[in-house]
Amino acid sequence: MASDPDPDPAGNEQRVSAFIQWLQDNHADLSRIEIRTCETGGGNGVYARQDVSADERYAYIPHKLVITSRVCRQSLATNQLSGRALLASFLVHQRFVIKDSFWKPYIDILPANYHTPLEFAKGELSLLQGTPVEHAVDDRRSKYMMEHRQALEATKEVIPKEMFTWENYVWAASAVSSRAFSKELVRGYDEHTADGEVLLPLLDMMNHQPRQPVSWVALDNGIEFVTGTKLISGRQVFNNYGPKSNEELLMGYGFCVPGNPFSHFHIKLNYENDPLYKDKQELLQASGICSCDHYIRKDGLPRDLLPMLRVMAMTDVDVHFALKKLQQKGNGDDIRQMLDYVGLHNELRARYLLLFLVQKKLQVFEAAEKLLTTDPQTENAQVARVYRTEIGEILRATVDRLEKDERLIMVFACGIQASKQTALPWYARSENNEAEFAKPMLIDDDMEQPASKRARPSSSSSSSSSSPDDLEQRFLESALITSDSFASDPEFAEAIAQVDVDPDVLLTLFVVRILATNGSPWRPAVSRLEAGFQHPMMTEEEEYEEMVEEMNDVYHSLFPLLNEHFPKVFPMHLFTAERFVWAAAVVETFRVEVPKRSCPGQVVDAVCLL
């Protein structure tokens, strides 16, 4: 990793020369490379001294030069520390206490300062407001403070307190976070068995380049670097720290890579307070989704994000039938495939939730951006601006992507309502309707899906060229059942205007009423549901006994009274108790809260029966 430009070039040359001599004296191989000031950005870097073919070694150090936990404990005379705290304490001890140690040439070559956010000034930190790093800095500072307290106590016999300051510990911990390698590289080396990360002098001096092909090889007598591509004489030799985002690079190494292909925005989903938590957790685990952490990149959504959101958005009926499928199939692959699409009601719920979460993140980011009053012209600030710009681009690209998908779903829904197709979940489709099944094709979907399974175009496809407000209005009017839908049936609307009942009950009555309304645009959808959907409470009475009893009580509070006052609207042969309970289950299962983009903050309670 490159260091800061040295204010004393002559001194830097002397330190580099001493370091090289130390490496050679201890049988390291750097015959094919050289260490010198970087051509861009200052600091030291590693350059090829000659051409090196792919798959050939270009650097090697013996085990004697590896700083392991055993080396640190022998120097500090303590067994109370481990991991980063142990390595950091060793570096503080070697730099500030031991003036003529074996490791001095390596310690002297380390950067005097790092650019991690823990070393940012107040004005520089303000550039991170509204980003994930803003809170990560606080978390990292808390961890370092705890480690520093433990290290002070554990090393009080060998490191004077005045030398083990907070600033010195941050420097050492930053050196460890930016330079340490996996302990696997020295596993099996008897003399230096490692129980934590290790430091590899020389090999830790190469700067990072994403996707640079390089191998770290553990040998019986040391560690070597093998290039995966040809090295050209005179050009800088890079390491590859792994597929790290700029957030990781900034926090751990103190730099960012403009246009980093691995950069992301972290989002953590939480459904622990869901009454169906255990059942949904079972479904997720069966499908191989075990983490609530997801990392959104500019070019698309992570593979597990939407499937997890679909599970989170499931109603109790969705969960019931999903678990039933899991028990019947006993195969997580079937559940994973099911989570590619549950039903249109579920897809809407999942995507509304995701768009809400990302929009909130973007709002926080943009609100913080408006409050930025300082723009320090420092290297730290330049690094922070690269990171900040990238986070804004990822958030805006994701919101744009999700809004486009939302419009595609609305166009699909408007089209399918006018066709003979259905997008109902598997458990609500009868065998007769299976051939008519279609699901929306969205930005991330596999375009190789058979054409027979895609929505056939209809005259409503012209909705794609409508304005966003017009498309939203058409979607609400033609694809969903809402309280505004009652106006399409004047007799029903007039009747319910004279009664005082719960909105859910009104939607239930309307669903039943649709079956008797020949001209209703929703009749085909409701008829298909009546043929294919059975709520589990209709067949598993013992488990749902209380719910059925409650629905029957509601029914008997309405009938025959509604029939006596409005016999043409509520005929008893249609409005039976069994059908009322079924319709109430339909409303509860396929309910969707639709945010009105044309009226921010307003939500429409709707039922999606397509």
Side-chain angles (χ1 to χ4, degrees):
M1 173 181 173
S3 58
D4 282 331
D6 199 305
D8 178 15
N12 182 57
E13 287 182 12
Q14 291 176 357
R15 288 190 292 273
V16 169
S17 178
F19 178 58
I20 292 173
Q21 188 62 53
W22 176 74
L23 291 168
Q24 292 173 336
D25 289 346
N26 289 283
H27 310 295
D29 178 11
L30 60 162
S31 58
R32 292 183 158 191
I33 57 175
E34 61 180 337
I35 303 169
R36 56 184 167 87
T37 303
C38 290
E39 295 170 356
T40 58
N44 294 319
V46 175
Y47 288 78
R49 191 188 296 272
Q50 62 188 63
D51 289 354
V52 180
S53 299
D55 300 322
E56 288 189 0
R57 180 172 94 177
Y58 61 90
Y60 160 84
I61 63 168
H63 282 139
K64 179 182 181 181
L65 298 184
V66 179
I67 299 175
T68 68
S69 54
R70 173 174 288 191
V71 171
C72 297
R73 291 192 175 107
Q74 288 176 340
S75 174
L76 297 171
T78 180
N79 290 314
Q80 299 177 40
L81 297 174
S82 61
R84 180 174 54 213
L86 178 61
L87 283 171
S89 298
F90 173 82
L91 292 181
V92 170
H93 184 237
Q94 294 294 315
R95 180 182 180 185
F96 300 103
V97 179
I98 306 299
K99 298 303 181 184
D100 192 24
S101 78
F102 170 77
W103 304 99
K104 178 176 171 56
Y106 172 65
I107 301 298
D108 287 348
I109 206 74
L110 295 177
N113 299 289
Y114 290 89
H115 296 287
T116 65
L118 281 180
E119 298 175 90
F120 279 20
K122 186 176 180 180
E124 296 165 341
L125 278 173
S126 68
L127 293 169
L128 301 176
Q129 291 177 0
T131 73
V133 165
E134 178 184 12
H135 301 294
V137 172
D138 294 334
D139 292 341
R140 181 68 60 88
R141 182 177 289 108
S142 296
K143 289 179 182 177
Y144 279 13
M145 289 177 71
M146 181 180 68
E147 293 172 2
H148 182 223
R149 287 194 296 269
Q150 293 171 343
L152 276 171
E153 177 62 26
T155 63
K156 60 185 178 183
E157 300 298 329
V158 293
I159 305 179
K161 188 174 182 180
E162 63 271 16
M163 292 184 178
F164 209 164
T165 63
W166 164 248
E167 290 75 18
N168 287 348
Y169 184 79
V170 170
W171 166 82
S174 296
V176 172
S177 72
S178 64
R179 310 181 86 86
F181 286 78
S182 168
K183 65 182 181 182
E184 298 301 319
L185 289 173
V186 293
R187 184 175 292 280
Y189 174 43
D190 293 338
E191 189 177 345
H192 293 301
T193 300
D195 60 4
E197 292 182 312
V198 297
L199 293 173
L200 307 178
L202 174 62
L203 302 185
D204 63 3
M205 293 195 68
M206 286 163 243
N207 295 315
H208 172 62
Q209 182 164 287
R211 296 196 173 106
Q212 177 71 18
V214 58
S215 298
W216 315 334
V217 182
L219 304 175
D220 291 340
N221 59 352
I223 299 144
E224 67 178 7
F225 269 27
V226 176
T227 179
T229 187
K230 182 178 180 179
L231 302 181
I232 307 299
S233 178
R235 294 187 183 177
Q236 187 170 179
V237 178
F238 291 98
N239 190 5
N240 180 352
Y241 301 170
K244 294 186 181 296
S245 69
N246 274 348
E247 179 177 331
E248 294 172 285
L249 293 175
L250 177 59
M251 288 297 299
Y253 300 82
F255 70 91
C256 289
V257 176
N260 186 343
F262 301 110
S263 281
H264 59 241
F265 189 93
H266 173 233
I267 189 168
K268 187 178 182 70
L269 300 178
N270 186 350
Y271 65 108
E272 289 184 354
N273 294 325
D274 191 320
L276 300 172
Y277 172 75
K278 289 186 177 180
D279 290 338
K280 291 183 177 181
Q281 185 182 48
E282 181 179 352
L283 289 172
L284 288 169
Q285 290 178 345
S287 65
I289 301 174
C290 301
S291 175
C292 293
D293 294 293
H294 302 273
Y295 302 91
I296 300 175
R297 293 182 182 174
K298 190 176 179 180
D299 60 354
L301 303 177
R303 179 176 180 267
D304 290 343
L305 179 55
L306 278 171
M308 183 172 186
L309 283 162
R310 289 177 186 126
V311 173
M312 290 175 60
M314 282 182 174
T315 63
D316 60 339
V317 175
D318 296 328
V319 170
H320 170 87
F321 284 107
L323 287 174
K324 196 171 183 179
K325 175 176 278 195
L326 178 60
Q327 292 163 3
Q328 291 171 344
K329 300 284 187 178
N331 189 334
D333 292 340
D334 291 318
I335 299 301
R336 180 65 196 223
Q337 186 176 5
M338 178 199 72
L339 294 183
D340 287 341
Y341 178 80
V342 176
L344 189 56
H345 71 295
N346 175 270
E347 195 69 19
L348 289 168
R349 289 161 63 108
R351 288 179 175 274
Y352 289 151
L353 174 58
L354 178 57
L355 185 53
F356 169 78
L357 292 174
V358 179
Q359 283 178 329
K360 290 294 288 184
K361 299 285 187 184
L362 180 57
Q363 289 170 7
V364 170
F365 175 85
E366 291 181 335
E369 201 156 61
K370 291 178 181 178
L371 297 176
L372 293 178
T373 56
T374 59
D375 189 18
Q377 300 302 307
T378 63
E379 187 167 350
N380 287 345
Q382 291 173 3
V383 172
R385 278 193 289 272
V386 170
Y387 170 68
R388 183 174 194 87
T389 298
E390 180 183 72
I391 288 297
E393 290 175 350
I394 294 173
L395 286 172
R396 293 183 182 100
T398 303
V399 168
D400 181 64
R401 188 184 195 89
L402 294 174
E403 287 179 341
K404 286 179 179 177
D405 268 349
E406 184 178 307
R407 289 194 290 273
L408 287 173
I409 290 177
M410 289 193 286
V411 171
F412 166 81
C414 291
I416 203 174
Q417 168 65 348
S419 73
K420 295 182 179 179
Q421 293 180 289
T422 177
L424 289 170
W426 78 96
Y427 61 78
R429 299 192 299 267
S430 68
E431 292 183 4
N432 293 334
N433 287 331
E434 189 62 37
E436 299 176 354
F437 170 67
K439 70 173 187 176
M441 297 301 297
L442 305 175
I443 294 174
D444 291 314
D445 282 342
D446 181 5
M447 294 307 295
E448 295 181 1
Q449 181 180 353
S452 62
K453 293 297 183 181
R454 300 181 197 163
R456 294 191 293 270
S458 72
S459 58
S460 295
S461 294
S462 61
S463 301
S464 59
S465 60
S466 304
S467 71
D469 288 355
D470 288 344
L471 177 58
E472 178 183 73
Q473 190 61 32
R474 188 173 302 178
F475 171 66
L476 289 170
E477 290 177 354
S478 66
L480 302 175
I481 296 175
T482 70
S483 58
D484 289 341
S485 305
F486 303 159
S488 66
D489 186 342
E491 289 184 340
F492 180 84
E494 183 180 353
I496 64 169
Q498 302 176 52
V499 298
D500 182 19
V501 296
D502 187 84
D504 285 354
V505 175
L506 292 179
L507 286 170
T508 299
L509 292 171
F510 189 65
V511 169
V512 177
R513 169 73 177 173
I514 287 171
L515 292 171
T517 310
N518 292 329
S520 172
W522 296 286
R523 185 171 180 180
V526 177
S527 297
R528 280 194 293 264
L529 264 178
E530 191 176 36
F533 173 64
Q534 266 198 320
H535 191 285
M537 71 178 175
M538 311 297 286
T539 56
E540 302 174 28
E541 295 183 5
E542 187 173 326
E543 183 179 348
Y544 293 92
E545 184 177 354
E546 188 175 328
M547 184 185 298
V548 173
E549 185 177 340
E550 182 181 342
M551 289 296 98
N552 275 311
D553 287 345
V554 173
Y555 173 80
H556 290 298
S557 71
L558 298 172
F559 292 92
L561 193 61
L562 286 178
N563 171 258
E564 292 170 357
H565 284 81
F566 312 102
K568 291 179 63 177
V569 180
F570 302 107
M572 291 301 297
H573 73 276
L574 180 66
F575 285 86
T576 64
E578 183 178 0
R579 185 169 275 145
F580 178 86
V581 172
W582 171 83
V586 166
V587 170
E588 187 61 32
T589 301
F590 301 102
R591 177 193 306 280
V592 180
E593 291 185 341
V594 182
K596 286 195 72 173
R597 305 304 178 197
S598 57
C599 302
Q602 185 176 340
V603 175
V604 178
D605 195 15
V607 181
C608 179
L609 303 184
L610 299 178

